[in-house]
Protein backbone atom coordinates (compact mmCIF):
# COMPACT_ATOMS: atom_id res chain seq x y z
CA UNK A 1 0.00 0.00 0.00
CA UNK A 2 1.25 3.45 -0.96
CA UNK A 3 -0.61 5.26 1.79
CA UNK A 4 1.04 5.27 5.19
CA UNK A 5 -0.76 5.03 8.47
CA UNK A 6 0.04 7.44 11.27
CA UNK A 7 1.33 4.53 13.35
CA UNK A 8 3.77 3.64 10.65
CA UNK A 9 4.83 7.23 10.13
CA UNK A 10 5.41 7.95 13.83
CA UNK A 11 7.44 4.78 14.16
CA UNK A 12 9.62 5.35 11.12
CA UNK A 13 9.91 8.81 9.61
CA UNK A 14 13.62 9.54 9.13
CA UNK A 15 13.68 9.03 5.36
CA UNK A 16 10.69 11.28 4.83
CA UNK A 17 11.87 14.29 6.81
CA UNK A 18 11.57 17.49 4.75
CA UNK A 19 9.55 15.75 2.07
CA UNK A 20 5.93 16.47 1.28
CA UNK A 21 3.60 13.72 2.38
CA UNK A 22 -0.12 13.20 2.47
CA UNK A 23 -2.03 11.88 5.47
CA UNK A 24 -5.71 11.34 6.16
CA UNK A 25 -7.58 11.10 9.43
CA UNK A 26 -10.03 12.67 11.83
CA UNK A 27 -9.52 15.78 13.89
CA UNK A 28 -9.23 14.95 17.56
CA UNK A 29 -8.59 18.54 18.58
CA UNK A 30 -7.92 21.89 16.93
CA UNK A 31 -6.02 24.21 19.26
CA UNK A 32 -5.67 27.95 18.78
CA UNK A 33 -6.80 27.64 15.16
CA UNK A 34 -3.26 26.43 14.52
CA UNK A 35 -2.57 22.89 15.77
CA UNK A 36 -4.60 19.93 14.59
CA UNK A 37 -4.29 16.63 16.40
CA UNK A 38 -5.01 14.17 13.59
CA UNK A 39 -5.84 10.53 14.28
CA UNK A 40 -6.43 7.78 11.73
CA UNK A 41 -7.24 4.94 14.14
CA UNK A 42 -4.00 3.06 13.53
CA UNK A 43 -2.70 4.11 16.95
CA UNK A 44 -3.88 6.06 19.95
CA UNK A 45 -1.19 8.66 19.19
CA UNK A 46 -2.09 11.68 17.09
CA UNK A 47 -0.07 13.37 14.37
CA UNK A 48 0.29 17.12 14.75
CA UNK A 49 -0.61 19.26 11.77
CA UNK A 50 0.50 22.87 11.89
CA UNK A 51 -1.79 25.28 10.09
CA UNK A 52 -0.62 28.73 9.16
CA UNK A 53 -4.02 30.32 8.84
CA UNK A 54 -2.81 33.16 6.62
CA UNK A 55 -2.25 30.55 3.93
CA UNK A 56 -5.77 29.11 3.95
CA UNK A 57 -9.28 30.25 3.16
CA UNK A 58 -11.16 31.38 6.22
CA UNK A 59 -13.94 29.05 5.11
CA UNK A 60 -11.73 25.98 5.45
CA UNK A 61 -10.37 26.97 8.84
CA UNK A 62 -13.92 27.57 10.05
CA UNK A 63 -15.00 24.12 8.99
CA UNK A 64 -12.22 22.21 10.67
CA UNK A 65 -13.97 20.93 13.76
CA UNK A 66 -13.54 18.10 16.16
CA UNK A 67 -14.20 14.86 14.28
CA UNK A 68 -13.85 16.42 10.82
CA UNK A 69 -12.26 14.09 8.31
CA UNK A 70 -9.29 15.56 6.49
CA UNK A 71 -6.77 14.92 3.78
CA UNK A 72 -3.64 16.93 4.45
CA UNK A 73 -0.51 17.42 2.37
CA UNK A 74 2.52 19.19 3.74
CA UNK A 75 6.14 19.03 4.74
CA UNK A 76 7.16 16.57 7.41
CA UNK A 77 9.48 18.19 9.94
CA UNK A 78 10.86 17.47 13.38
CA UNK A 79 8.60 19.14 15.89
CA UNK A 80 9.72 22.27 17.71
CA UNK A 81 7.11 21.87 20.39
CA UNK A 82 6.89 19.35 23.18
CA UNK A 83 4.81 16.21 23.22
CA UNK A 84 5.46 14.99 19.69
CA UNK A 85 8.47 14.03 17.64
CA UNK A 86 7.24 15.17 14.23
CA UNK A 87 4.62 17.39 12.68
CA UNK A 88 3.36 18.34 9.26
CA UNK A 89 3.36 21.93 8.05
CA UNK A 90 0.15 21.95 6.06
CA UNK A 91 0.20 23.14 2.45
CA UNK A 92 -3.10 21.72 1.32
CA UNK A 93 -6.10 20.75 3.43
CA UNK A 94 -9.17 19.05 2.07
CA UNK A 95 -12.24 18.41 4.22
CA UNK A 96 -13.57 15.00 3.20
CA UNK A 97 -16.99 14.74 4.82
CA UNK A 98 -19.84 16.74 6.30
CA UNK A 99 -19.62 17.40 9.97
CA UNK A 100 -22.38 18.18 12.39
CA UNK A 101 -19.83 18.11 15.13
CA UNK A 102 -21.70 19.92 17.91
CA UNK A 103 -23.95 16.91 18.26
CA UNK A 104 -21.07 14.47 18.36
CA UNK A 105 -19.13 16.59 20.76
CA UNK A 106 -21.91 16.66 23.31
CA UNK A 107 -22.77 12.99 23.29
CA UNK A 108 -19.67 11.09 22.39
CA UNK A 109 -16.54 13.14 22.57
CA UNK A 110 -17.06 14.97 25.82
CA UNK A 111 -19.33 12.70 27.79
CA UNK A 112 -20.05 13.04 31.47
CA UNK A 113 -18.89 10.75 34.24
CA UNK A 114 -21.58 8.12 33.77
CA UNK A 115 -20.60 8.20 30.16
CA UNK A 116 -20.03 4.53 29.36
CA UNK A 117 -23.76 3.85 29.53
CA UNK A 118 -24.48 6.85 27.33
CA UNK A 119 -21.87 5.65 24.87
CA UNK A 120 -23.47 2.20 24.74
CA UNK A 121 -26.53 3.88 23.28
CA UNK A 122 -24.24 5.42 20.67
CA UNK A 123 -22.36 2.23 19.93
CA UNK A 124 -22.03 3.20 16.28
CA UNK A 125 -20.10 6.34 17.27
CA UNK A 126 -18.11 5.19 20.27
CA UNK A 127 -15.27 3.87 18.10
CA UNK A 128 -14.28 7.51 17.71
CA UNK A 129 -13.25 7.95 21.32
CA UNK A 130 -9.74 7.26 22.57
CA UNK A 131 -11.08 4.73 25.04
CA UNK A 132 -12.97 2.56 22.58
CA UNK A 133 -10.23 2.91 20.00
CA UNK A 134 -7.86 1.41 22.56
CA UNK A 135 -10.29 -1.32 23.64
CA UNK A 136 -10.99 -2.52 20.11
CA UNK A 137 -7.38 -2.40 18.99
CA UNK A 138 -6.57 -4.56 22.02
CA UNK A 139 -9.48 -6.90 21.23
CA UNK A 140 -8.17 -7.32 17.69
CA UNK A 141 -4.66 -8.03 18.95
CA UNK A 142 -5.96 -10.57 21.48
CA UNK A 143 -7.80 -12.40 18.68
CA UNK A 144 -4.70 -12.42 16.51
CA UNK A 145 -2.54 -13.70 19.38
CA UNK A 146 -5.00 -16.54 19.96
CA UNK A 147 -4.67 -17.73 16.37
CA UNK A 148 -0.91 -17.25 16.54
CA UNK A 149 -0.60 -19.36 19.70
CA UNK A 150 -2.53 -22.25 18.21
CA UNK A 151 -0.82 -22.01 14.85
CA UNK A 152 2.61 -22.13 16.48
CA UNK A 153 1.55 -25.18 18.45
CA UNK A 154 0.31 -27.09 15.39
CA UNK A 155 -3.41 -26.76 16.03
CA UNK A 156 -5.90 -26.62 13.14
CA UNK A 157 -8.67 -24.03 13.06
CA UNK A 158 -12.04 -25.75 12.58
CA UNK A 159 -15.14 -23.77 11.68
CA UNK A 160 -17.99 -25.32 13.63
CA UNK A 161 -21.61 -24.57 12.73
CA UNK A 162 -23.62 -21.81 14.35
CA UNK A 163 -26.93 -23.55 13.71
CA UNK A 164 -27.30 -26.77 15.63
CA UNK A 165 -29.84 -29.55 15.80
CA UNK A 166 -28.71 -30.62 19.26
CA UNK A 167 -31.11 -29.54 21.92
CA UNK A 168 -28.76 -29.89 24.85
CA UNK A 169 -25.15 -29.07 24.20
CA UNK A 170 -24.72 -28.93 27.91
CA UNK A 171 -24.64 -25.19 28.56
CA UNK A 172 -27.22 -22.49 28.81
CA UNK A 173 -30.58 -21.69 27.26
CA UNK A 174 -30.77 -21.66 23.47
CA UNK A 175 -32.22 -19.32 20.87
CA UNK A 176 -34.51 -21.08 18.41
CA UNK A 177 -33.84 -20.91 14.66
CA UNK A 178 -36.88 -21.22 12.40
CA UNK A 179 -38.41 -19.83 9.24
CA UNK A 180 -41.96 -20.68 10.27
CA UNK A 181 -44.56 -17.97 9.79
CA UNK A 182 -44.93 -17.23 13.49
CA UNK A 183 -48.63 -16.48 13.04
CA UNK A 184 -49.31 -19.88 11.53
CA UNK A 185 -47.04 -22.44 13.09
CA UNK A 186 -47.92 -25.91 11.78
CA UNK A 187 -49.03 -28.44 14.35
CA UNK A 188 -49.24 -32.23 14.24
CA UNK A 189 -52.24 -34.39 15.16
CA UNK A 190 -51.36 -34.12 18.87
CA UNK A 191 -51.35 -30.35 18.66
CA UNK A 192 -47.55 -30.16 19.09
CA UNK A 193 -45.43 -27.93 16.87
CA UNK A 194 -44.57 -29.90 13.73
CA UNK A 195 -40.87 -29.23 13.30
CA UNK A 196 -40.74 -31.64 10.37
CA UNK A 197 -42.23 -28.83 8.33
CA UNK A 198 -39.61 -26.36 9.49
CA UNK A 199 -36.63 -25.36 7.34
CA UNK A 200 -34.27 -28.08 8.54
CA UNK A 201 -37.02 -30.64 9.14
CA UNK A 202 -36.26 -30.60 12.83
CA UNK A 203 -35.98 -28.30 15.81
CA UNK A 204 -32.86 -26.14 15.47
CA UNK A 205 -31.12 -23.52 17.59
CA UNK A 206 -28.12 -21.21 17.67
CA UNK A 207 -25.14 -22.98 19.16
CA UNK A 208 -24.09 -22.42 22.78
CA UNK A 209 -20.68 -23.99 22.15
CA UNK A 210 -18.72 -25.55 19.29
CA UNK A 211 -17.25 -28.24 21.50
CA UNK A 212 -19.22 -31.30 20.49
CA UNK A 213 -18.51 -30.63 16.83
CA UNK A 214 -14.87 -29.79 17.35
CA UNK A 215 -14.40 -33.03 19.29
CA UNK A 216 -15.29 -34.96 16.15
CA UNK A 217 -12.54 -33.09 14.26
CA UNK A 218 -10.08 -33.78 17.08
CA UNK A 219 -10.61 -37.51 16.52
CA UNK A 220 -8.87 -37.17 13.15
CA UNK A 221 -6.76 -34.03 13.25
CA UNK A 222 -5.42 -34.39 16.79
CA UNK A 223 -5.04 -30.77 17.89
CA UNK A 224 -7.88 -28.49 16.87
CA UNK A 225 -9.68 -25.37 18.01
CA UNK A 226 -12.77 -23.44 17.10
CA UNK A 227 -13.15 -19.69 17.58
CA UNK A 228 -16.48 -18.14 16.78
CA UNK A 229 -19.66 -16.61 18.11
CA UNK A 230 -21.90 -18.49 20.54
CA UNK A 231 -25.35 -17.61 21.78
CA UNK A 232 -27.00 -18.03 25.14
CA UNK A 233 -30.50 -16.90 26.00
CA UNK A 234 -29.67 -16.69 29.67
CA UNK A 235 -31.52 -13.91 31.31
CA UNK A 236 -28.62 -12.92 33.51
CA UNK A 237 -28.19 -9.19 33.31
CA UNK A 238 -24.69 -9.18 34.76
CA UNK A 239 -21.54 -7.30 33.82
CA UNK A 240 -19.96 -10.61 32.71
CA UNK A 241 -22.66 -12.17 30.52
CA UNK A 242 -23.69 -11.47 26.94
CA UNK A 243 -26.35 -13.16 24.84
CA UNK A 244 -23.85 -13.30 21.96
CA UNK A 245 -20.18 -13.78 22.73
CA UNK A 246 -17.08 -15.23 21.12
CA UNK A 247 -15.64 -18.43 22.40
CA UNK A 248 -12.27 -20.09 21.85
CA UNK A 249 -12.40 -23.86 22.23
CA UNK A 250 -9.30 -26.03 21.80
CA UNK A 251 -9.64 -29.81 21.91
CA UNK A 252 -6.60 -32.06 22.11
CA UNK A 253 -6.27 -35.80 21.54
CA UNK A 254 -4.25 -37.74 24.12
CA UNK A 255 -4.42 -34.91 26.70
CA UNK A 256 -5.48 -35.57 30.27
CA UNK A 257 -6.75 -33.01 32.80
CA UNK A 258 -3.28 -31.94 33.87
CA UNK A 259 -2.18 -31.41 30.25
CA UNK A 260 -5.35 -29.41 29.77
CA UNK A 261 -4.58 -27.13 32.71
CA UNK A 262 -1.02 -26.68 31.43
CA UNK A 263 -2.39 -25.74 28.01
CA UNK A 264 -4.84 -23.21 29.48
CA UNK A 265 -2.12 -21.60 31.58
CA UNK A 266 0.41 -21.41 28.71
CA UNK A 267 -2.28 -20.10 26.39
CA UNK A 268 -3.44 -17.28 28.69
CA UNK A 269 0.13 -16.27 29.46
CA UNK A 270 1.06 -16.23 25.80
CA UNK A 271 -1.88 -14.02 24.82
CA UNK A 272 -1.38 -11.60 27.71
CA UNK A 273 2.38 -11.34 27.00
CA UNK A 274 1.64 -10.74 23.35
CA UNK A 275 -0.66 -7.84 24.23
CA UNK A 276 1.89 -6.39 26.70
CA UNK A 277 4.45 -6.47 23.92
CA UNK A 278 2.28 -5.25 21.04
CA UNK A 279 -0.24 -2.82 22.55
CA UNK A 280 2.08 -0.64 24.62
CA UNK A 281 0.52 2.75 23.85
CA UNK A 282 -3.05 1.52 24.27
CA UNK A 283 -2.21 -0.26 27.51
CA UNK A 284 -0.54 2.85 28.90
CA UNK A 285 -3.69 4.80 28.16
CA UNK A 286 -5.89 2.09 29.72
CA UNK A 287 -3.55 1.85 32.69
CA UNK A 288 -4.02 5.58 33.43
CA UNK A 289 -7.76 5.26 33.07
CA UNK A 290 -7.77 2.24 35.38
CA UNK A 291 -5.83 4.20 38.00
CA UNK A 292 -8.34 7.07 37.75
CA UNK A 293 -11.20 4.63 38.22
CA UNK A 294 -9.58 3.17 41.31
CA UNK A 295 -9.31 6.63 42.87
CA UNK A 296 -13.08 7.00 42.67
CA UNK A 297 -13.57 3.85 44.74
CA UNK A 298 -13.55 3.49 48.53
CA UNK A 299 -10.08 2.49 49.71
CA UNK A 300 -11.01 -1.10 50.58
CA UNK A 301 -12.31 -1.82 47.06
CA UNK A 302 -9.27 -0.51 45.23
CA UNK A 303 -7.17 -2.86 43.14
CA UNK A 304 -3.79 -3.58 44.72
CA UNK A 305 -1.96 -3.36 41.42
CA UNK A 306 -2.14 -1.12 38.38
CA UNK A 307 -3.43 -2.60 35.15
CA UNK A 308 -0.08 -3.24 33.47
CA UNK A 309 1.39 -4.43 36.76
CA UNK A 310 -1.48 -6.88 37.13
CA UNK A 311 -0.95 -8.26 33.62
CA UNK A 312 2.78 -8.65 34.23
CA UNK A 313 2.21 -10.47 37.48
CA UNK A 314 -0.27 -12.91 35.91
CA UNK A 315 2.33 -13.77 33.29
CA UNK A 316 4.97 -14.40 35.97
CA UNK A 317 2.95 -16.29 38.57
CA UNK A 318 2.28 -20.00 38.45
CA UNK A 319 -1.49 -20.40 38.71
CA UNK A 320 -2.64 -22.04 41.96
CA UNK A 321 -4.14 -25.47 41.31
CA UNK A 322 -6.72 -26.46 43.89
CA UNK A 323 -9.24 -29.28 43.94
CA UNK A 324 -12.91 -28.46 44.38
CA UNK A 325 -12.85 -30.43 47.65
CA UNK A 326 -9.99 -28.29 49.04
CA UNK A 327 -11.75 -25.13 47.88
CA UNK A 328 -14.91 -26.12 49.74
CA UNK A 329 -12.86 -26.71 52.91
CA UNK A 330 -11.31 -23.25 52.57
CA UNK A 331 -14.70 -21.65 51.98
CA UNK A 332 -16.40 -23.52 54.84
CA UNK A 333 -13.67 -22.38 57.23
CA UNK A 334 -13.57 -18.79 56.00
CA UNK A 335 -14.58 -15.86 58.22
CA UNK A 336 -16.79 -14.66 55.35
CA UNK A 337 -18.82 -17.84 55.31
CA UNK A 338 -19.05 -18.16 59.10
CA UNK A 339 -20.16 -14.55 59.50
CA UNK A 340 -22.76 -14.84 56.76
CA UNK A 341 -20.98 -12.40 54.43
CA UNK A 342 -21.75 -14.45 51.32
CA UNK A 343 -25.06 -13.96 49.60
CA UNK A 344 -25.06 -17.73 48.99
CA UNK A 345 -23.54 -19.35 52.09
CA UNK A 346 -21.61 -22.59 51.48
CA UNK A 347 -23.22 -25.35 53.47
CA UNK A 348 -21.61 -28.55 52.27
CA UNK A 349 -19.57 -30.42 49.68
CA UNK A 350 -21.56 -30.47 46.45
CA UNK A 351 -22.50 -26.81 46.42
CA UNK A 352 -22.18 -24.99 43.11
CA UNK A 353 -19.71 -22.13 43.45
CA UNK A 354 -21.00 -18.63 42.78
CA UNK A 355 -18.85 -15.84 41.50
CA UNK A 356 -18.56 -14.34 45.02
CA UNK A 357 -16.88 -17.59 46.15
CA UNK A 358 -14.62 -17.72 43.12
CA UNK A 359 -13.55 -14.15 43.68
CA UNK A 360 -12.93 -14.75 47.37
CA UNK A 361 -10.53 -17.58 46.51
CA UNK A 362 -8.72 -15.58 43.83
CA UNK A 363 -8.66 -12.09 45.30
CA UNK A 364 -8.56 -12.68 49.05
CA UNK A 365 -7.31 -16.16 49.80
CA UNK A 366 -4.72 -17.02 47.14
CA UNK A 367 -4.16 -13.60 45.57
CA UNK A 368 -3.38 -15.36 42.31
CA UNK A 369 -5.22 -16.88 39.36
CA UNK A 370 -6.67 -20.19 40.53
CA UNK A 371 -7.48 -23.37 38.66
CA UNK A 372 -10.15 -25.45 40.40
CA UNK A 373 -10.48 -29.08 39.34
CA UNK A 374 -12.35 -32.33 40.10
CA UNK A 375 -15.86 -30.98 40.62
CA UNK A 376 -18.88 -33.01 41.78
CA UNK A 377 -20.36 -34.71 38.75
CA UNK A 378 -23.86 -33.40 39.49
CA UNK A 379 -22.94 -29.77 38.86
CA UNK A 380 -21.01 -30.33 35.62
CA UNK A 381 -21.84 -31.30 32.04
CA UNK A 382 -22.49 -34.87 30.89
CA UNK A 383 -19.37 -35.13 28.71
CA UNK A 384 -16.88 -34.62 31.53
CA UNK A 385 -14.82 -37.67 32.47
CA UNK A 386 -15.90 -39.58 35.56
CA UNK A 387 -13.09 -39.95 38.10
CA UNK A 388 -12.17 -43.18 39.95
CA UNK A 389 -14.06 -42.01 43.06
CA UNK A 390 -17.33 -42.16 41.10
CA UNK A 391 -18.32 -38.81 42.64
CA UNK A 392 -16.27 -36.23 40.78
CA UNK A 393 -15.45 -35.44 37.17
CA UNK A 394 -12.19 -34.21 35.60
CA UNK A 395 -13.43 -30.66 35.19
CA UNK A 396 -11.38 -27.50 35.51
CA UNK A 397 -12.27 -23.83 35.79
CA UNK A 398 -9.69 -21.06 35.55
CA UNK A 399 -10.58 -18.16 37.83
CA UNK A 400 -9.13 -14.68 37.36
CA UNK A 401 -9.04 -11.66 39.66
CA UNK A 402 -11.86 -9.24 39.02
CA UNK A 403 -13.49 -11.63 36.57
CA UNK A 404 -14.19 -14.98 38.19
CA UNK A 405 -14.48 -17.82 35.70
CA UNK A 406 -12.58 -17.07 32.49
CA UNK A 407 -12.14 -20.65 31.26
CA UNK A 408 -14.21 -23.78 31.79
CA UNK A 409 -12.96 -27.13 30.56
CA UNK A 410 -12.45 -30.81 31.24
CA UNK A 411 -11.00 -34.11 30.25
CA UNK A 412 -13.81 -35.67 28.24
CA UNK A 413 -15.47 -39.01 28.86
CA UNK A 414 -13.94 -41.19 26.15
CA UNK A 415 -15.42 -44.53 27.31
CA UNK A 416 -18.49 -45.40 25.30
CA UNK A 417 -20.37 -47.24 28.05
CA UNK A 418 -19.66 -44.71 30.76
CA UNK A 419 -20.66 -41.82 28.48
CA UNK A 420 -23.90 -43.49 27.46
CA UNK A 421 -24.77 -44.24 31.05
CA UNK A 422 -24.07 -40.65 32.08
CA UNK A 423 -26.18 -39.29 29.26
CA UNK A 424 -29.08 -41.44 30.32
CA UNK A 425 -28.70 -40.49 33.97
CA UNK A 426 -28.63 -36.79 33.06
CA UNK A 427 -31.51 -37.05 30.56
CA UNK A 428 -29.42 -36.14 27.52
CA UNK A 429 -30.99 -37.58 24.39
CA UNK A 430 -28.65 -40.32 23.11
CA UNK A 431 -30.65 -40.64 19.88
CA UNK A 432 -30.18 -37.01 19.00
CA UNK A 433 -26.47 -37.09 19.82
CA UNK A 434 -25.90 -40.43 18.08
CA UNK A 435 -23.01 -38.95 16.13
CA UNK A 436 -21.28 -37.77 19.29
CA UNK A 437 -21.56 -41.20 20.87
CA UNK A 438 -20.36 -42.72 17.59
CA UNK A 439 -16.96 -41.00 18.02
CA UNK A 440 -16.39 -43.17 21.11
CA UNK A 441 -16.94 -46.36 19.15
CA UNK A 442 -14.05 -46.17 16.71
CA UNK A 443 -10.57 -45.49 18.02
CA UNK A 444 -11.75 -43.40 20.91
CA UNK A 445 -8.88 -41.72 22.77
CA UNK A 446 -8.41 -39.81 26.01
CA UNK A 447 -8.78 -36.14 25.20
CA UNK A 448 -9.42 -32.79 26.81
CA UNK A 449 -10.33 -29.23 25.98
CA UNK A 450 -11.74 -25.99 27.28
CA UNK A 451 -13.74 -22.90 26.43
CA UNK A 452 -12.50 -19.35 26.90
CA UNK A 453 -14.93 -16.46 26.65
CA UNK A 454 -13.06 -13.94 24.50
CA UNK A 455 -14.82 -10.95 26.06
CA UNK A 456 -13.89 -12.01 29.59
CA UNK A 457 -10.24 -12.07 28.57
CA UNK A 458 -10.57 -8.67 26.88
CA UNK A 459 -12.22 -7.33 30.06
CA UNK A 460 -9.26 -8.53 32.06
CA UNK A 461 -6.64 -7.16 29.72
CA UNK A 462 -8.24 -3.73 29.25
CA UNK A 463 -9.34 -3.22 32.86
CA UNK A 464 -12.86 -2.42 31.70
CA UNK A 465 -15.63 -3.49 34.07
CA UNK A 466 -18.68 -4.12 31.91
CA UNK A 467 -18.56 -6.85 29.26
CA UNK A 468 -20.79 -4.71 27.01
CA UNK A 469 -17.92 -2.30 26.60
CA UNK A 470 -15.52 -4.81 25.08
CA UNK A 471 -17.65 -6.12 22.19
CA UNK A 472 -18.48 -3.69 19.37
CA UNK A 473 -22.23 -4.31 19.36
CA UNK A 474 -23.40 -5.97 22.58
CA UNK A 475 -26.42 -8.26 22.61
CA UNK A 476 -28.10 -8.63 25.98
CA UNK A 477 -31.66 -8.93 27.28
CA UNK A 478 -33.78 -6.21 25.64
CA UNK A 479 -30.92 -4.80 23.58
CA UNK A 480 -30.19 -5.55 19.96
CA UNK A 481 -29.91 -2.06 18.50
CA UNK A 482 -27.44 -1.44 15.67
P1 LIG B 1 -20.69 -18.71 34.06
O1 LIG B 1 -20.71 -19.70 35.18
O2 LIG B 1 -19.74 -17.57 34.29
O3 LIG B 1 -22.04 -18.27 33.60
P2 LIG B 1 -20.49 -20.98 32.34
O4 LIG B 1 -19.98 -21.97 33.33
O5 LIG B 1 -21.90 -21.00 31.94
O6 LIG B 1 -20.08 -19.50 32.80
P3 LIG B 1 -19.10 -22.31 30.18
O7 LIG B 1 -20.27 -22.98 29.63
O8 LIG B 1 -18.10 -23.08 30.95
O9 LIG B 1 -19.57 -21.03 31.02
O10 LIG B 1 -18.39 -21.48 28.98
C1 LIG B 1 -16.99 -21.33 28.84
C2 LIG B 1 -16.56 -19.88 28.99
O11 LIG B 1 -17.36 -19.02 28.20
C3 LIG B 1 -16.70 -19.32 30.38
O12 LIG B 1 -15.61 -19.68 31.17
C4 LIG B 1 -16.76 -17.83 30.13
O13 LIG B 1 -15.45 -17.31 29.92
C5 LIG B 1 -17.50 -17.74 28.83
N1 LIG B 1 -18.93 -17.43 28.98
C6 LIG B 1 -19.92 -18.26 29.36
N2 LIG B 1 -21.13 -17.67 29.32
C7 LIG B 1 -20.90 -16.41 28.87
C8 LIG B 1 -21.75 -15.31 28.59
N3 LIG B 1 -23.07 -15.38 28.73
N4 LIG B 1 -21.18 -14.17 28.12
C9 LIG B 1 -19.84 -14.09 27.94
N5 LIG B 1 -18.99 -15.10 28.20
C10 LIG B 1 -19.49 -16.25 28.66
MN1 LIG C 1 -18.14 -23.03 33.20
Amino acid sequence: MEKRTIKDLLGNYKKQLHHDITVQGWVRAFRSNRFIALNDGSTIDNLQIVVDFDKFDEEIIKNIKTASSLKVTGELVESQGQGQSIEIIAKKIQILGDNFSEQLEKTVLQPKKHSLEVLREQAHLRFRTNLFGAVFRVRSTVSFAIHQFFNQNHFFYIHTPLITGADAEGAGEMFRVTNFDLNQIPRDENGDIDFEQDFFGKKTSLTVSGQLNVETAMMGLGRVYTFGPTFRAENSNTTRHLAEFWMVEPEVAFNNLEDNIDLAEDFLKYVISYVLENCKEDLEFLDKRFAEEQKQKPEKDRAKEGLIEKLQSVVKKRFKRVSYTEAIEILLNSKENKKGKFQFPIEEWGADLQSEHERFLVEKYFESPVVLFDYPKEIKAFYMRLNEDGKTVSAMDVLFPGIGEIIGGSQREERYDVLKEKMNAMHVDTKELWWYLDTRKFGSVPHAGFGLGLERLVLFVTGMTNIRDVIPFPRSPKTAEF
Side-chain angles (χ1 to χ4, degrees), residues 380 397 405 408:
K380 288 291 180 187
D397 278 2
E405 181 188 330

Side-chain angles (χ1 to χ4, degrees), residues 225-371:
Y225 71 107
T226 177
F227 181 2
T230 50
F231 308 86
R232 296 189 186 180
E234 50 197 355
N235 214 341
S236 41
N237 241 319
T238 75
T239 53
R240 298 172 310 114
H241 289 89
L242 290 161
E244 178 180 291
F245 65 98
W246 286 65
M247 186 134 72
V248 181
E249 295 174 278
E251 197 65 43
V252 188
F254 319 111
N255 265 12
N256 62 21
L257 185 68
E258 203 184 336
D259 301 326
N260 203 37
I261 299 175
D262 291 342
L263 177 68
E265 185 166 344
D266 289 349
F267 165 71
L268 288 167
K269 287 179 171 173
Y270 177 89
V271 175
I272 295 170
S273 310
Y274 190 93
V275 173
L276 278 167
E277 194 55 40
N278 291 280
C279 297
K280 288 208 173 81
E281 295 85 9
D282 287 321
L283 282 184
E284 272 159 28
F285 174 85
L286 292 164
D287 188 75
K288 282 200 196 96
R289 180 193 168 271
F290 186 79
E292 285 300 316
E293 288 258 289
Q294 299 307 312
K295 276 192 217 150
Q296 313 289 326
K297 292 186 179 174
E299 189 124 15
K300 67 171 180 38
D301 295 339
R302 286 185 199 157
K304 294 195 182 90
E305 298 167 306
L307 176 64
I308 293 177
E309 229 177 344
K310 176 186 81 174
L311 299 180
Q312 287 165 340
S313 83
V314 164
V315 171
K316 270 192 242 127
K317 269 186 200 150
R318 196 178 135 79
F319 296 0
K320 278 269 174 306
R321 301 177 181 204
V322 183
S323 75
Y324 168 90
T325 303
E326 288 170 72
I328 287 289
E329 282 303 312
I330 292 168
L331 287 164
L332 278 173
N333 291 320
S334 69
K335 265 205 320 265
E336 279 72 4
N337 200 53
K338 287 181 175 158
K339 289 193 175 157
K341 293 262 168 68
F342 289 133
Q343 194 189 342
F344 300 94
I346 297 285
E347 270 153 20
E348 55 184 5
W349 191 94
D352 204 353
L353 300 184
Q354 306 294 327
S355 96
E356 56 178 344
H357 309 125
E358 298 174 342
R359 293 187 57 174
F360 168 81
L361 292 169
V362 172
E363 289 158 31
K364 293 242 166 71
Y365 194 85
F366 290 110
E367 295 193 1
S368 148
V370 173
V371 188

